[in-house]
Amino acid sequence: MLRFALTRIALAVPTLLIVAVSVFLLIRLIPGDPALLMLGDMADPHSLADFRRSHGLDQPLPVQFALWLGNLAAGDLGRSITTGQEVLPLIFDRFLVSATIVVVAVALASLVAVPAGMLAAWRQNSLTDLAVVAGATLLLSVPSFWLGLLLLLLFGMKLGWLPVVGYVPFGQDFGAALAYIVLPVATLVLVEVGVIARMARASTLEVLRLDYVTHARAKGLSELAVMGRHVFWNAFAPTWTLIGLILGNLLGGIAVVETVFTIPGLGRLLVDAIFARDYPVIQGCLLFIAGVYIVVNLVVDLLYPVFDPRVTA
Amino acid sequence: MTRTWFGLPASPGALLGGLLIGVLLLAAGLGMVWTPYDPLAIDFRARLQPPGPEHWLGTDEFGRDVFSRALAGASTSVSISLFTVAAATVAGMLIGLAAGYLRGWTDRIVVSITDALLAFPGILLALGLLAVLGANKYGIILALALAYTPSVVRVVRSNVFSLRETGFVEASRVMGNGELFTMARHVLPNCIAPVTVLATGMFGWVLLSESALSFLGLGVPPPAPTWGNMLAASRPYMSQAPWLGIYPGLCIALTLLGINLLGDAVRDRLDPRMRRI
């Protein structure tokens, strides 16, 4: 187990490094003086010279990269050109907002979708199965930003049950915070339920065909015991990997939902930085989101043996 | 292999999917040559009119005909998606073949670059590239093509690796055919089927990504219509003119539904165990 964990962690290190190289090169691809790009047109000559020296801009690229990586390791991602705030704390604040929504949404979606998918597989080719598959395929096809707008129109404007746009932190006012995140969370839940349910159904079908399931049934176990004790754990393992991928992917794709509901999250920060050509923030967001994606997948992989102990062998 | 393509099961889902995609392609073709009104013609006397006999899907905040804009948007979105998929497929196949054929250092470099690009979640890589390339039609095609090429490379490369070891490829070598001839004549054609399946799904992802980027304001700049930027522009008028947001989104959803249904039909055919009876 320890060996499995260490191998898996060691494998994530080169990926992180290559991501760092990609982001470093991406910013260097932009025509113009990197010092001007990172400090903005309004920077004074003194700080420009300072930046050029500390980032080794007169040195060859590998040296620049090493210096840049050193700053990165020290948590120094520079300051936002537009607001002057330090990039890392800024990203962290926004990340908490996005992560709350994403984690709650994916947890709720899994709680609905995994049982639904298993039920559909258990009753394969029945009306229930057809309903789950049709519903999942339909939900899979709905773009999140459109669904969000429709929910906003229905619950926010026509019925007036929920606030239309904005965000309140949970620490400030729990009730209000809840009211503000209901719609964005519901949007993401509906969009992801389809994907997870289809995966849960497919992997349950695979498991149900296996001999040990027939054996469990032949022993006279109730269907509930067969599904709950014998099928669930094996069928859930592939779904678990998918859930991890969805968690990471949503962090990259949540910008659209944050735009619909005007939520100050990480996705919106990146998009606004792209509009403002705020390169330190762009660079920080790209690194941070890709890093979180890699770490989430790493954690998912490390937890995988809980569901399927065979992988450590 | 050909049976897979000509003998698609005529399930209701596959038929519906085919119908939806057929209508989409017709609409995109039509939108290129003819629309009932000029999609860019501003008419302030006809602002925010609800759907009716004159304007089937109503008019927007500038009095532009929503149906005409949706048609024009279809041709923009479909052409961007087709160009992107074509570019990613051709580039991915060439790189994948080269990696699988040359192996060694070339392969190692290709694998580490594709792995790194695949380490960026969702549309993040496209967002990063757009920050460099600038938001316009060509920037979008280039950014999305770069973001989707690695998956093609991966599929082609693994196919080439397994095909190299098969009997018929060895037979071709034994017959004295050169490596390049063998690759072109025997290996490449056998990569077409999996790449086609991938490209079909990719068309849906690219169209969704393009819409999302346009929605964020990083896609095709207004006034040229795309479904994504129509949706974005509808936001301030959502309560007084809901049709502005409903129809462009419906177009995206029906397109994705068509592609998902077709994709399921193809996958069911390739993996008969999952087929519904």
Side-chain angles (χ1 to χ4, degrees):
Chain A
M1 176 62 211
L2 185 69
R3 197 173 151 178
F4 166 76
L6 289 177
T7 328
R8 192 57 196 74
I9 292 170
L11 278 175
V13 173
T15 321
L16 278 169
L17 254 179
I18 296 174
V19 165
V21 175
S22 321
V23 173
F24 172 79
L25 289 178
L26 198 67
I27 299 295
R28 290 294 185 279
L29 273 179
I30 304 164
D33 178 3
L36 267 178
L37 284 177
M38 297 307 276
L39 297 178
D41 299 331
M42 313 298 280
D44 60 284
H46 184 71
S47 50
L48 279 176
D50 221 34
F51 183 90
R52 290 199 184 97
R53 189 159 16 91
S54 67
H55 288 75
L57 292 186
D58 51 348
Q59 312 265 343
L61 265 187
V63 179
Q64 287 185 34
F65 179 68
L67 284 169
W68 179 83
L69 209 58
N71 288 332
L72 193 67
D76 177 15
L77 287 168
R79 283 173 183 280
S80 160
I81 293 174
T82 41
T83 64
Q85 281 171 283
E86 264 191 69
V87 170
L88 197 61
L90 180 66
I91 287 180
F92 211 72
D93 281 355
R94 302 297 200 94
F95 169 69
L96 285 181
V97 175
S98 301
T100 312
I101 293 170
V102 167
V103 169
V104 173
V106 172
L108 287 176
S110 313
L111 282 178
V112 177
V114 172
M118 286 185 71
L119 181 71
W122 183 52
R123 286 262 166 268
Q124 194 190 3
N125 297 332
S126 70
L127 219 58
T128 319
D129 183 25
L130 185 70
V132 170
V133 172
T137 310
L138 214 57
L139 286 175
L140 193 70
S141 311
V142 177
S144 58
F145 42 103
W146 183 54
L147 187 66
L149 280 176
L150 292 183
L151 291 179
L152 203 62
L153 183 65
L154 181 62
F155 293 103
M157 292 168 183
K158 295 277 182 253
L159 297 172
W161 290 353
L162 292 161
V164 177
V165 290
Y167 179 81
V168 173
F170 270 93
Q172 213 174 76
D173 179 350
F174 191 82
L178 210 59
Y180 276 106
I181 75 160
V182 168
L183 285 182
V185 166
T187 305
L188 292 182
V189 168
L190 285 171
V191 171
E192 299 306 336
V193 152
V195 192
I196 302 174
R198 280 164 59 109
M199 182 73 189
R201 176 180 176 273
S203 50
T204 309
L205 281 180
E206 292 275 340
V207 173
L208 279 175
R209 250 190 301 272
L210 298 178
D211 286 342
Y212 85 94
V213 176
T214 316
H215 178 247
R217 282 185 172 143
K219 279 196 303 191
L221 286 183
S222 71
E223 280 300 293
L224 198 66
V226 173
M227 293 301 286
R229 264 186 66 78
H230 295 276
V231 176
F232 174 76
W233 293 104
N234 285 317
F236 185 63
T239 313
W240 171 246
T241 307
L242 179 78
I243 291 172
L245 284 173
I246 288 177
L247 264 181
N249 266 317
L250 272 183
L251 275 179
I254 199 184
V256 282
V257 175
E258 289 173 355
T259 303
V260 171
F261 297 101
T262 332
I263 294 165
L266 191 54
R268 202 52 236 177
L269 179 71
L270 172 60
V271 173
D272 289 337
I274 292 177
F275 281 129
R277 303 194 159 270
D278 194 340
Y279 290 108
V281 177
I282 296 176
Q283 171 184 289
C285 286
L286 291 177
L287 279 171
F288 190 85
I289 298 175
V292 169
Y293 183 64
I294 293 168
V295 170
V296 166
N297 281 317
L298 176 67
V299 171
V300 165
D301 275 10
L302 290 180
L303 287 177
Y304 200 96
V306 175
F307 307 110
D308 190 350
R310 284 172 301 182
V311 294
T312 48
Chain B
M1 274 294 168
T2 46
R3 241 186 0 190
T4 311
W5 302 107
F6 296 108
L8 281 179
S11 71
L15 283 177
L16 179 62
L19 189 72
L20 286 170
I21 297 306
V23 170
L24 170 80
L25 293 178
L26 273 179
L30 185 65
M32 244 173 245
V33 290
W34 177 83
T35 49
Y37 293 84
D38 179 353
L40 302 180
I42 292 174
D43 179 4
F44 280 107
R45 281 165 307 169
R47 273 185 96 229
L48 299 177
Q49 279 181 8
E54 214 171 307
H55 297 282
W56 292 353
L57 301 183
T59 58
D60 68 4
E61 72 277 21
F62 294 113
R64 297 174 298 197
D65 182 49
V66 174
F67 182 66
S68 303
R69 287 179 68 74
L71 271 184
S75 46
T76 315
S77 294
V78 169
S79 59
I80 288 182
S81 306
L82 284 178
F83 273 119
T84 306
V85 171
T89 310
V90 171
M93 282 190 84
L94 287 177
I95 299 170
L97 276 175
Y101 170 69
L102 295 168
R103 296 193 278 188
W105 274 107
T106 322
D107 183 47
R108 249 171 272 171
I109 292 168
V110 167
V111 168
S112 20
I113 293 175
T114 49
D115 277 357
L117 295 180
L118 288 170
F120 289 94
I123 55 171
L124 186 71
L125 182 63
L127 280 173
L129 288 165
L130 280 176
V132 178
L133 297 167
N136 57 59
K137 192 172 170 177
Y138 303 101
I140 270 223
I141 293 179
L142 198 56
L144 288 175
L146 272 169
Y148 284 106
T149 302
S151 5
V152 184
V153 172
R154 212 176 233 199
V155 167
V156 172
R157 178 187 165 272
S158 66
N159 259 287
V160 171
F161 266 77
S162 61
L163 283 168
R164 295 183 69 110
E165 312 304 327
T166 54
F168 67 91
V169 169
E170 203 171 327
S172 167
R173 274 195 218 111
V174 172
M175 280 163 69
N177 291 327
E179 275 292 314
L180 267 180
F181 179 84
T182 308
M183 295 289 288
R185 186 78 183 77
H186 298 289
V187 176
L188 184 64
N190 279 295
C191 294
I192 302 280
V195 168
T196 312
V197 175
L198 182 67
T200 312
M202 213 155 72
F203 180 79
W205 304 330
V206 170
L207 194 126
L208 181 62
S209 307
E210 182 272 319
S211 306
L213 292 171
S214 293
F215 179 76
L216 291 172
L218 293 168
V220 179
T226 67
W227 293 338
N229 71 22
M230 287 170 76
L231 258 179
S234 82
R235 288 182 61 218
Y237 306 95
M238 230 10 216
S239 59
Q240 38 170 329
W243 59 88
L244 288 182
I246 289 174
Y247 295 116
L250 195 62
C251 293
I252 305 175
L254 288 177
T255 304
L256 293 178
L257 182 64
I259 289 168
N260 285 332
L261 289 172
L262 271 187
D264 284 356
V266 173
R267 198 212 46 214
D268 284 358
R269 192 70 195 182
L270 291 178
D271 185 4
R273 286 179 311 164
M274 299 308 264
R275 196 183 307 165
R276 304 169 50 82
I277 302 155

